[in-house]
Amino acid sequence: MEALGTGWPALRLRAWLVALRPRTLLLGLAPLAPAWAAVRAAGGELSFGTAVLTLAAVVAIQAGTNLVNDAGDWRRGADGPARRGPPRAAASGWLSASALDRAAALCFAVALVAGAALARIGGWPVVVIGAAAVACGIAYTAGPRPIAYGGGGEWLVLAFFGPVAAGGAAYLHDGALHGAALAAGVMLGCLAAAVLAINNARDAPTDRAAGRRTLAVRRGPAFARAQIRALLALPFGIALAWAALTAAAAPLPALAAAPYAGVLAARAADARDGAAFNALLRSTIGLNAAVAALLAAGIGWLG
């Protein structure tokens, strides 16, 4: 059991922050900015209430998924002493798996309440997206065949942290599918998938021992690094294709982040230990946020 802090309140607060992983919430929030910019660029009106409900649903689903993951990996022995990533609350003995389960249930309940309100606005497409997001959040690490223990996690993240989130967030405001929101979503989904690919490359040795069959485990470290580099590069290829095919300037500001993505790709090629992968993971989350802001600015100002 690792030391956490001094004093009961500080210990409990930090334990819950570790379990919730606030930094990862940025991955779910990032697609909303370019989605809302696309609505405005198309002449639509944004509803403050709808935006707040969307934020609540996104944060609640992501938080619930993180809590389920913490408890689920502990139950399956994936977060043992050899873990190379940041500490986890259940494995470190800071919170019980049952407490994490209850908190996750509360998060998903909040998501369902917000989702019910959003369904009144967006209709059955919102019901389908919301139900699928909650189901995947639970099944990612729980149940007899967790998604995270197979090879499809990156594809799931690319979809739900990308075009599904961006397209759905825009649709809620004017009932239309916006090409700019979907294209921006694919770009951001690639970067979110890169974060998971970095996580899986880092954890491959312990995942193999725990029975996780991620792509990094199945295909080996060379493939894992190539996958990370590809996912870091793809968004900028998409931006160039988007601009060339539509004669739109909207994606061009995002290219300002391409040199930094190149730096991270080089670091991915050299990463070997947990510290290097953890720093790369944090930087990629930052890159995702920066690209989201640049896309929102480009879509909003350049259309």
Side-chain angles (χ1 to χ4, degrees):
M1 182 183 298
E2 299 179 42
L4 186 61
T6 58
W8 186 87
L11 187 150
R12 296 291 289 182
L13 175 60
R14 190 179 165 204
W16 282 110
L17 288 175
V18 166
L20 289 167
R21 308 175 208 173
R23 186 182 285 110
T24 67
L25 300 180
L26 292 173
L27 297 174
L29 296 174
L32 304 185
W36 294 337
V39 174
R40 293 291 295 163
E45 293 293 326
L46 294 176
S47 164
F48 177 77
T50 300
V52 170
L53 287 169
T54 304
L55 286 168
V58 167
V59 170
I61 291 171
Q62 179 65 35
T65 302
N66 288 345
L67 294 167
V68 170
N69 178 258
D70 196 309
D73 277 348
W74 175 79
R75 288 189 173 103
R76 290 176 176 270
D79 288 340
R83 175 177 169 77
R84 301 201 293 175
R88 292 289 178 248
S92 299
W94 301 334
L95 296 169
S96 68
S98 59
L100 292 167
D101 289 340
R102 290 191 295 270
L106 177 60
C107 289
F108 288 127
V110 170
L112 289 173
V113 170
L118 290 171
R120 293 174 63 93
I121 299 167
W124 68 265
V126 176
V127 175
V128 172
I129 291 172
V134 170
C136 288
I138 296 170
Y140 188 73
T141 329
R145 299 186 65 180
I147 296 168
Y149 284 66
E154 286 87 349
W155 290 106
L156 184 74
V157 166
L158 195 158
F160 277 94
F161 287 78
V164 172
Y171 176 85
L172 280 165
H173 289 275
D174 62 3
L177 289 176
H178 294 269
L182 293 171
V186 175
M187 291 173 62
L188 295 172
C190 287
L191 294 175
V195 171
L196 179 59
I198 294 165
N199 179 88
N200 289 344
R202 179 198 67 202
D203 293 346
T206 52
D207 283 349
R208 184 177 293 107
R212 292 181 77 158
R213 299 289 294 166
T214 63
L215 288 176
V217 169
R218 293 179 181 186
R219 304 291 297 275
F223 171 86
R225 292 188 182 89
Q227 180 189 30
I228 294 166
R229 295 196 298 273
L231 289 168
L232 289 169
L234 269 173
F236 305 101
I238 293 169
L240 290 172
W242 175 1
L245 293 173
T246 65
L252 297 180
L255 296 176
Y260 185 53
V263 171
L264 297 185
R267 286 167 53 186
D270 296 332
R272 293 294 183 275
D273 59 18
F277 279 115
N278 292 336
L280 179 61
L281 190 149
R282 291 191 296 269
S283 297
T284 304
I285 292 174
L287 174 66
N288 180 272
V291 171
L294 291 167
L295 283 169
I299 294 169
W301 293 338
L302 303 176

